[in-house]
């Protein structure tokens, strides 16, 4: 089946974002396709390349990066949420005169249209967080 | 309960209006669907029915009124809007005075609504 995921929880609060990444992995292992993962609200923090987690905790970013690199899963952030939480790519950092970009290159920033498109193009959408 | 077309989405709003940014995220998602002319219905569930309070005055919190945004949903073609009747009763909400017209649903009718949609977006 063709799935889309919507992630709205930060990896820093609770286990929801981590569950989303493990669910994505389980979908692929079971032979399903993932149309897109869309990050909104606090979920955009999943893309932060600046967050530092204690060494005895699993690194939440790594799970998403592997999904993107090994399976070419599209990871897209809502631009409004990304700006609010300070997750910026080079273009947004320049445009808003901020000192640095903070997004991992496996993720892209786009609009809510990408969520609408994911809903329209998938058989099932599964929401994590909220 | 009417049947809905395949791939029609249901936005489920469970957050009260001014406790965080998720309430606004839900409404924005509904509006984005309308902008792309995708079929969409909205359900206010649990604490989410508090978004339907009449006479909201969030300016004192430095927040914009979500009620005004909700009132605009029908203008964008979003007309199938439902509310959790039990939650509305619990909060003594007069749905007739809500910012937009909503259809009250019992718990079992909400179950039917959720089953009728392939895509559920929970906020």
């Amino acid at each position: 089946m063709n799935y889309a995921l919507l992630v709205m929880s930060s990896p820093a609060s609770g286990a929801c974002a981590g569950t989303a990444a493990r669910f994505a992995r389980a979908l692929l292992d079971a032979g399903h396709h993932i149309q897109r993962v869309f990050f909104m609200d606090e979920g955009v923090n999943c893309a932060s390349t600046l967050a530092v987690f204690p060494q005895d905790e699993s690194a939440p970013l790594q799970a998403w990066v592997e999904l993107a690199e090994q399976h070419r899963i599209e990871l897209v952030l809502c631009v409004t949420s990304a700006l609010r939480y300070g997750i910026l790519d080079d273009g947004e950092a320049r445009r808003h005169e901020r000192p640095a970009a903070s997004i991992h290159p496996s993720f892209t920033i786009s609009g809510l249209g990408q969520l609408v498109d994911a809903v329209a193009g998938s058989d099932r959408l599964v929401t994590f967080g909220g | 309960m009417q049947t809905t077309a395949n791939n029609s989405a249901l936005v489920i709003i469970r957050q009260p209006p001014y406790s965080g940014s998720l309430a606004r995220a839900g409404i924005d998602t509904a509006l984005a669907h309308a902008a792309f002319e995708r079929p969409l219905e909205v359900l206010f569930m649990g604490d989410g029915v508090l978004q339907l309070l009449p006479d909201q005055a969030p300016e004192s919190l430095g927040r914009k009124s979500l009620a005004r945004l909700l009132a605009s949903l029908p203008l964008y073609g979003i007309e199938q809007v439902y509310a959790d009747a039990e939650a509305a009763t619990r909060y003594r909400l007069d749905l007739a005075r809500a910012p937009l017209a909503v259809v009250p649903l019992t718990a079992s009718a909400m179950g039917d609504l959720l089953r009728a949609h392939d895509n559920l977006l929970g906020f």
Side-chain angles (χ1 to χ4, degrees):
Chain A
M1 214 186 284
N2 190 12
Y3 281 83
L5 307 189
L6 171 61
V7 181
M8 296 192 289
S9 279
S10 164
S13 61
C16 213
T19 304
R22 284 197 301 281
F23 182 75
R25 169 69 60 182
L27 284 178
L28 297 173
D29 289 347
H32 295 293
H33 179 255
I34 298 176
Q35 163 104 357
R36 179 174 297 137
V37 184
F38 194 81
F39 299 84
M40 197 174 179
D41 204 63
E42 287 182 18
V44 297
N45 287 310
C46 290
S48 171
T49 194
L50 298 184
V52 180
F53 284 77
Q55 283 182 350
D56 56 353
E57 289 182 21
S58 62
L61 178 64
Q62 199 49 37
W64 293 115
V65 171
E66 281 171 12
L67 285 164
E69 286 178 354
Q70 296 168 5
H71 301 278
R72 298 169 175 261
I73 304 292
E74 216 185 316
L75 308 173
V76 182
L77 311 189
C78 162
V79 61
T80 313
S81 304
L83 292 178
R84 183 190 292 265
Y85 288 99
I87 308 297
L88 311 175
D89 58 18
D90 287 330
E92 296 293 349
R94 250 195 323 274
R95 184 171 312 129
H96 297 282
E97 299 177 355
R98 293 299 186 268
S102 52
I103 190 174
H104 188 279
S106 291
F107 296 77
T108 54
I109 294 177
S110 189
L112 271 175
Q114 293 291 315
L115 174 61
V116 176
D117 178 68
V119 170
S122 60
D123 301 311
R124 288 286 185 279
L125 174 103
V126 185
T127 309
F128 292 86
Chain B
M1 179 62 54
Q2 64 175 63
T3 54
T4 50
N6 255 350
N7 259 331
S8 140
L10 179 69
V11 167
I12 306 164
I13 295 182
R14 293 170 297 188
Q15 301 289 325
Y18 306 107
S19 73
S21 48
L22 268 178
R24 175 66 195 258
I27 302 171
D28 282 346
T29 300
L31 288 170
H33 270 77
F36 287 93
E37 296 181 350
R38 297 293 311 170
L40 173 103
E41 303 183 3
V42 179
L43 169 66
F44 292 90
M45 198 177 193
D47 291 350
V49 298
L50 290 171
Q51 295 205 28
L52 301 172
L53 269 169
D55 309 322
Q56 298 177 26
E59 295 77 13
S60 56
L61 298 171
R63 300 284 295 269
K64 270 195 230 161
S65 171
L66 290 188
R68 210 165 298 156
L69 203 56
L70 286 179
S72 73
L73 291 186
L75 301 176
Y76 292 96
I78 301 172
E79 277 156 0
Q80 307 293 327
V81 183
Y82 308 93
D84 179 342
E86 229 167 81
T89 306
R90 192 163 67 241
Y91 285 115
R92 296 175 186 262
L93 261 181
D94 181 5
L95 289 177
R97 294 188 61 222
L100 79 170
V102 297
V103 178
L105 294 184
T106 62
S108 78
M110 283 196 292
D112 292 340
L113 185 71
L114 264 59
R115 273 190 292 277
H117 288 81
D118 283 343
N119 292 297
L120 307 177
L121 297 105
F123 291 88

